[in-house]
Amino acid sequence: MSRIEGCFSRLADDGRKALVTYIVAGDPSIEKTIDIMHAMVANGVSMIELGMPFTDPEAEGPVIQLSQERALVNGVTLQDVLSVVAGFREQDDETPIVLMGYVNPVEHMGYDAFASAAADAGVDGTIIVNLPPEEGELLDQSLIAAGIDPVYLLAPTTTEARARMIFSRARGFAYYVSLKGTTGASTLNVSEVGARLEVLRPLGDLPIAVGFGIKNGKSAREVADAGADGVVIGAAVVGLIESCQNEPDRITDVVGGFIREVREALDG
Amino acid sequence: MGNIGDNERFGAMPDDTGHFGAFGGRFVSETLMAALGELEREYAKLKNDPEFNRQFQDDLANYVGRPSPLYFAERLTEAVGGATILLKREDLNHTGAHKINNCIGQALLAKHMGKPRVIAETGAGQHGVAAATVAARFGLECHVYMGSDDIERQSLNVYRMKLLGAEVVPVTSGSRTLKDALSEAMRDWVTNIDNTYYIIGTVAGPHPYPMLVRDFQAVIGQETKAQCQRMFGRLPDMLIACVGGGSNAMGMFYPFLEDTDVRLIGVEPAGKGLETGLHAAPLSRGEVGVLHGNRTYLMQNSDGQVLPTSSISAGLDYPAVGPEHAWLKDIERAEYVAVDDEEAVDACRRLNRLEGILPALESAHAVAYAIKIAATMSRDEIVVINLSGRGDKDIPTLAEIDGISL
């Protein structure tokens, strides 16, 4: 059983929801990113999406754009992102890690080279934001051969026919983008999400994580109650990291405390 | 050019999936896929619709002022002392550049699709002005995204867009130029997809944009073909156009793709020189990559990050290029060369002095290369330069080089 599959099935057995968080590798530094990952897991995170910084992150709102810019100023490369995963795996062999980013750096490294290096580092899945299934077949082949799950996005605008196709191509889980907009937007409509999940659920048999616009324990709980198997929090966590730029020693406490609150809201 | 076996390929591109050979495609987030599919279907319907075509042709004639002249540049021809040089006068279009052709077409699409709001990205401001103009003409709300650095160097066009009723949104992320304006426009589109039409200004972006922008600009090449036949009874020997994203070049080249005796030359901005790395010439010095929805040649570093660009011309200051150009380069149907800032400025001044025509600094890149290559040719050979825009907007830049503050 893959780490992702194991994660969702253990949580489902306990009647709990997956708490997934997104941070950008290398913001504020490679070492700090590994510390933050451990602190998030210690406080109840079930799975981590690790952002691969890119110069032109078309789907991100301002908070995550700036985080990626800071990582790039720090000189973070795709190789560095993989070394973060390998460093994390020295102490944690259980928490699934999904790399999230844009296709160009991956394509530049080469699909096969990327897939095997990512597998060696301990990566479990990838979400390539600007690679819809129609353009993703070659990368999927490389990933699947290396034992990595290609995760695909579903959107409010996705038709039922497309959703079936996406479910048939995705592995591990499907990621439902909860709103029309960029990451961190403030237009989340929970009842709409619930209605969409009801339509999507019978079209595939993968767990569905919901992200974009979930900011705190309350909205996480609402989305979980609306039928999500997992909730993804990105911009809210990245915003906390940004707020600690001048006091990097506080980051793990600040992020850890926030995660604990969200976990309690989800479990309570 | 003998390696092109099957000319039918040209008409058939892009293929059903939006690819030009290995290039093009649709590399966007899932939220945009439905809208791009809808646009593709609507366009497929409308491009053969007689009423849509009548509206498009009518506005090109009576609003834009087409056909634009094909002008024999007699004094430039004499001065260069080589080939006969003709100018396709897109600078005489309403709003002063070829950009309006595409904007008319896409605004009509927006109208037919019932979208009350349009957005656009702009570099030099020419596309932004054209988009704001058609928005006024068709009664659409308009937001134009523009890098904050470009807003400073193109203040005249910024104010002109505001006069037209458009909102100009400064983009402060990334390199604060055209590529970042395009990313920000895509973010707006994904957020406002229900009521908004995105008027992309060049032959880039996800399918079907490279195809439909090309089709709307193809009027340039179609007219040139007919005008050249009338004047000389034959086709030209060579077409020269500047290439940033590549819409004026694609519009000029496309109707000639199957006329393989006609050499097609795209001129990229070499900025401070190709060897300095400070340029915007992905076809000359880039590698294949994916940016803004399509696979193409791209200026990128060894880690696949997009590199900053440099050109005196804001409209060419873009790290990627339309995917059809990438394909035409690979199959060797078109040739791509580069001209640096200094050569472009010199050509701009020279054309102005010899012909009384001040070209945009973008178009001056094509003029500069034409002057060089025409000198090696004979008078009975015909070179057509696509004079894609006029240079009024660049007067402050020229004055600054001369140390004059206006």
Side-chain angles (χ1 to χ4, degrees):
Chain A
M1 189 183 283
S2 75
R3 286 194 195 96
I4 294 176
E5 212 181 326
C7 171
F8 277 106
S9 83
R10 264 195 314 280
L11 287 163
D13 290 347
D14 297 347
R16 298 168 78 216
K17 304 288 183 159
L19 172 56
V20 185
T21 47
Y22 168 98
I23 58 173
V24 175
D27 174 30
S29 67
I30 298 282
E31 300 71 31
K32 219 49 181 178
T33 298
I34 298 174
D35 293 345
I36 298 168
M37 292 165 77
H38 288 307
M40 293 195 299
V41 173
N43 285 284
V45 158
S46 333
M47 174 163 42
I48 294 171
E49 287 178 11
L50 190 62
M52 304 180 278
F54 183 49
T55 39
D56 299 82
E58 290 147 17
E60 315 298 344
V63 172
I64 293 177
Q65 281 177 49
L66 287 171
S67 179
Q68 299 201 7
E69 283 184 23
R70 287 192 297 273
L72 290 172
V73 168
N74 291 343
V76 172
T77 64
L78 186 47
Q79 207 62 59
D80 292 332
V81 177
L82 298 177
S83 74
V84 167
V85 180
F88 175 80
R89 283 274 172 257
E90 287 173 11
Q91 290 174 51
D92 186 329
D93 197 35
E94 191 174 316
T95 309
I97 297 181
V98 176
L99 297 182
M100 186 162 182
Y102 295 79
V103 72
N104 197 57
V106 169
E107 187 160 310
H108 201 76
M109 182 182 274
Y111 289 164
D112 282 339
F114 168 77
S116 72
D120 289 347
V123 169
D124 301 289
T126 62
I127 304 170
I128 307 297
V129 180
N130 63 343
L131 194 72
E134 287 89 338
E135 301 285 357
E137 286 187 28
L138 287 177
L139 179 58
D140 284 0
Q141 287 170 18
S142 303
L143 292 172
I144 290 167
I148 295 175
D149 289 335
V151 175
Y152 279 106
L153 303 175
L154 298 160
T157 52
T158 305
T159 60
E160 288 186 33
R162 266 191 76 76
R164 274 196 197 89
M165 181 271 286
I166 290 167
F167 272 121
S168 76
R169 291 283 302 279
R171 296 196 177 198
F173 67 101
Y175 184 132
Y176 178 64
V177 175
S178 67
L179 49 81
K180 296 169 195 159
T182 52
T183 49
S186 50
T187 52
L188 180 66
N189 179 330
V190 175
S191 61
E192 234 176 74
V193 172
R196 284 289 298 168
L197 287 176
E198 238 170 79
V199 173
L200 291 170
R201 185 67 73 186
L203 306 178
D205 50 13
L206 290 174
I208 303 177
V210 177
F212 281 45
I214 300 169
K215 290 182 170 355
N216 49 35
K218 181 172 173 289
S219 48
R221 175 61 190 260
E222 285 171 358
V223 168
D225 287 347
D229 300 298
V231 296
V232 187
I233 303 190
V237 178
V238 174
L240 290 177
I241 293 172
E242 180 181 3
S243 71
C244 295
Q245 287 296 305
N246 297 321
E247 317 161 86
D249 293 341
R250 287 186 59 229
I251 292 182
T252 47
D253 286 347
V254 170
V255 171
F258 172 75
I259 299 296
R260 199 162 52 242
E261 278 174 38
V262 176
R263 184 76 256 181
E264 280 165 6
L266 272 179
D267 290 347
Chain B
M1 303 304 125
N3 60 342
I4 303 164
D6 179 9
N7 286 336
E8 275 178 29
R9 289 185 296 170
F10 293 123
M13 283 292 169
D15 64 21
D16 290 343
T17 58
H19 292 85
F20 301 87
F23 303 101
R26 191 175 276 170
F27 294 84
V28 295
S29 67
E30 176 60 24
T31 312
L32 292 177
M33 290 299 284
L36 291 166
E38 186 195 357
L39 178 58
E40 183 185 358
R41 285 188 300 276
E42 282 292 317
Y43 177 65
K45 236 173 15 198
L46 289 171
K47 73 176 177 185
N48 295 314
D49 178 74
E51 178 56 17
F52 182 84
N53 277 285
R54 190 198 59 75
Q55 288 175 341
F56 182 55
Q57 296 303 335
D58 194 57
D59 262 13
L60 288 185
N62 301 313
Y63 188 69
V64 177
R66 304 203 70 93
S68 68
L70 185 65
Y71 167 74
F72 169 41
E74 190 172 0
R75 297 229 311 139
L76 180 65
T77 298
E78 290 298 330
V80 171
T84 297
I85 301 173
L86 304 169
L87 306 176
K88 179 60 174 166
R89 298 292 308 276
E90 292 299 300
D91 60 315
L92 293 177
N93 292 341
H94 180 43
T95 71
H98 72 292
K99 292 292 186 187
I100 192 85
N101 305 326
N102 166 49
C103 284
I104 294 280
Q106 292 203 54
L108 282 170
L109 274 177
K111 272 290 214 199
H112 276 268
M113 293 173 75
K115 308 284 187 187
R117 179 176 181 268
V118 294
I119 55 171
E121 82 294 339
T122 198
Q126 292 303 93
H127 174 57
V129 165
T133 298
V134 299
R137 155 85 180 81
F138 290 100
L140 303 163
E141 182 189 337
C142 179
H143 290 239
V144 178
Y145 288 89
M146 189 166 185
S148 54
D149 285 7
D150 288 340
I151 284 180
E152 276 190 27
R153 50 178 174 171
Q154 301 288 344
S155 56
L156 199 67
N157 272 341
V158 173
Y159 186 60
R160 188 170 174 189
M161 286 183 266
K162 289 179 181 166
L163 284 174
L164 285 159
E167 186 173 326
V168 180
V169 187
V171 177
T172 55
S173 57
S175 62
R176 299 178 297 279
T177 58
L178 179 56
K179 86 174 167 80
D180 310 285
L182 223 152
S183 296
E184 201 58 31
M186 288 176 83
R187 293 182 187 115
D188 178 310
W189 199 32
V190 87
T191 305
N192 300 297
I193 197 133
D194 293 332
N195 73 343
T196 298
Y197 182 98
Y198 180 14
I199 303 183
I200 293 187
T202 191
V203 285
H207 178 64
Y209 280 104
M211 170 180 76
L212 65 88
V213 176
R214 173 201 71 195
D215 291 353
F216 292 141
Q217 292 291 5
V219 63
I220 302 171
Q222 288 154 3
E223 286 176 6
T224 301
K225 220 170 178 174
Q227 288 165 322
C228 207
Q229 285 287 6
R230 264 201 307 278
M231 290 164 75
F232 301 95
R234 67 179 186 91
L235 296 182
D237 297 283
M238 185 183 290
L239 305 174
I240 303 179
C242 65
V243 177
S247 69
N248 89 78
M250 212 53 244
M252 177 60 103
F253 293 173
Y254 185 63
F256 290 91
L257 289 181
E258 292 180 28
D259 303 305
T260 48
D261 290 339
V262 182
R263 279 177 74 184
L264 312 176
I265 300 185
V267 186
E268 293 192 298
K272 297 185 167 53
L274 289 181
E275 68 291 345
T276 65
L278 302 170
H279 57 80
L283 289 166
S284 303
R285 283 291 189 278
E287 295 170 276
V288 176
V290 174
L291 182 70
H292 293 149
N294 66 95
R295 183 178 282 119
T296 185
Y297 281 93
L298 181 60
M299 288 176 55
Q300 54 186 316
N301 70 14
S302 59
D303 199 43
Q305 302 293 348
V306 179
L307 287 169
T309 52
S310 172
S311 170
I312 192 162
S313 133
L316 302 181
D317 206 353
Y318 183 64
V321 62
E324 194 162 9
H325 285 296
W327 177 65
L328 292 175
K329 172 189 158 78
D330 272 20
I331 63 165
E332 297 181 13
R333 174 64 189 96
E335 305 157 61
Y336 296 89
V337 298
V339 154
D340 69 24
D341 288 349
E342 210 179 299
E343 294 171 299
V345 169
D346 287 349
C348 180
R349 294 179 193 277
R350 194 161 178 207
L351 184 67
N352 197 28
R353 286 295 186 90
L354 285 169
E355 298 286 352
I357 296 170
L358 181 68
L361 284 173
E362 287 78 12
S363 323
H365 286 74
V367 176
Y369 189 75
I371 288 172
K372 279 199 268 194
I373 194 157
T376 69
M377 299 164 71
S378 64
R379 186 61 53 92
D380 58 0
E381 293 179 283
I382 303 165
V383 171
V384 177
I385 303 170
N386 194 15
L387 205 75
S388 54
R390 69 179 180 220
D392 304 45
K393 69 182 175 59
D394 297 311
I395 290 172
T397 305
L398 295 171
E400 198 183 310
I401 294 169
D402 290 340
I404 296 166
S405 72
L406 298 175

